[in-house]
Amino acid sequence: MYEFNCILKTDLKNLYTNPMWWAGTIGLPLLLALVMGFITKGTYGGVVTSFDYYAITMMIFGALNNATLAANSFMETRIVKANMRLCNAPVPDSYIFMPKIAASFLFGAVCHTIAGAMLFFIARVSFGGKAVIYLWLLLLCVEFFAVCFSIMLCCILKHEETVNMILSTAVAILCLLGGSFFPLKGLGRTVSLISNLSPVTWISNAAFRAVYDGNMLTLGVTGVSLCLVGGLCIVFTARLFNREDYL
């Protein structure tokens, strides 16, 4: 366990000392929510303002996009060199990939919490008042799923550029279909049916129902489902991980 903690501290240091990752992880959802909320200002109702809508959807987009951060923290050139040293050390395989999952999750959680707080102060987004804690927990579940899936994909494809290209494209498409950038309900029945196929739609619906309807059941089921899938990704990662890929 001592070795695991040391590796985790090193991975956290690699993330927290990189200003570009700070700027991207906090700035991307924050700026998108502010810009899109401002552009569509006045086109939403009084209960759910444009800033409310895009604050929630862009935070979900940012949490899913944390998958690319996890891939970078696992397969970036300077990180791989450190992984090579670990591969030659007498430590379990899990000590190589699990700290990357934990560090990416913690970094993303901190950054997106800061982004949410900034939206609260800048755009007066309430996130449902008392329901904010439940929305935050759902966001953590999204973060966990994203980083676990990303590390698993790294072990399958073994190329950072390929993984990042697939993840960034998939997240953008799923969020587009999930209504993150604009609501799709007014575009017809066919588009709405296609939208329902996106997991982002389920996550967004769970968030809005919890915040504005007080329905915590959907949020709980969605959160637990994300954690279970994330856990399965860890199991597959443990089976797929091969030290020789770094040597």
Side-chain angles (χ1 to χ4, degrees):
M1 184 58 68
Y2 173 77
E3 292 86 354
F4 182 91
N5 290 334
C6 290
I7 298 169
L8 177 59
K9 289 179 181 178
T10 301
D11 290 332
L12 285 172
K13 182 180 178 181
N14 289 332
L15 290 171
Y16 281 99
T17 55
N18 191 321
M20 293 301 296
W21 283 340
W22 276 103
T25 309
I26 295 176
L28 182 62
L30 176 64
L31 290 177
L32 284 175
L34 291 175
V35 171
M36 299 184 76
F38 179 78
I39 292 174
T40 58
K41 188 177 181 180
T43 61
Y44 287 73
V47 178
V48 182
T49 67
S50 60
F51 288 106
D52 291 332
Y53 181 85
Y54 285 110
I56 292 175
T57 58
M58 289 301 104
M59 291 297 287
I60 294 172
F61 169 70
L64 287 171
N65 207 46
N66 203 38
T68 58
L69 171 71
N72 289 335
S73 70
F74 188 55
M75 302 194 75
E76 189 184 18
T77 303
R78 64 189 182 92
I79 304 297
V80 168
K81 291 179 180 179
N83 288 343
M84 290 176 64
R85 291 194 294 270
L86 287 175
C87 288
N88 290 310
V91 296
D93 287 349
S94 61
Y95 279 32
I96 300 174
F97 62 82
M98 281 302 296
K100 307 296 186 297
I101 293 176
S104 300
F105 170 77
L106 292 172
F107 182 79
V110 170
C111 288
H112 292 132
T113 300
I114 294 173
M118 293 177 71
L119 284 170
F120 172 78
F121 288 108
I122 296 173
R124 299 299 178 187
V125 178
S126 66
F127 294 108
K130 293 181 180 179
V132 65
I133 184 65
Y134 302 105
L135 186 62
W136 182 69
L137 290 173
L138 177 63
L139 192 69
L140 294 184
C141 294
V142 177
E143 301 264 11
F144 177 72
F145 160 75
V147 299
C148 291
F149 181 81
S150 175
I151 298 300
M152 181 187 71
L153 197 61
C154 288
C155 291
I156 295 173
L157 300 177
K158 302 178 178 62
H159 294 285
E160 180 191 359
E161 295 80 6
T162 304
V163 172
N164 276 330
M165 181 182 66
I166 291 174
L167 287 175
S168 57
T169 303
V171 169
I173 292 174
L174 290 175
C175 286
L176 179 65
L177 293 176
S180 295
F181 303 107
F182 55 88
L184 300 178
K185 291 184 179 179
L187 299 181
R189 186 170 180 271
T190 302
V191 176
S192 295
L193 289 174
I194 295 174
S195 175
N196 288 331
L197 297 176
S198 171
V200 178
T201 300
W202 315 335
I203 298 170
S204 298
N205 288 341
F208 283 116
R209 287 174 183 173
V211 170
Y212 298 105
D213 299 331
N215 184 347
M216 301 302 170
L217 178 61
T218 306
L219 183 144
V221 171
T222 304
V224 170
S225 299
L226 288 168
C227 290
L228 288 175
V229 175
L232 286 174
C233 290
I234 292 177
V235 172
F236 282 116
T237 298
R239 292 182 175 275
L240 293 168
F241 182 79
N242 187 3
R243 291 184 182 227
E244 282 70 22
D245 293 333
Y246 294 96
L247 300 177

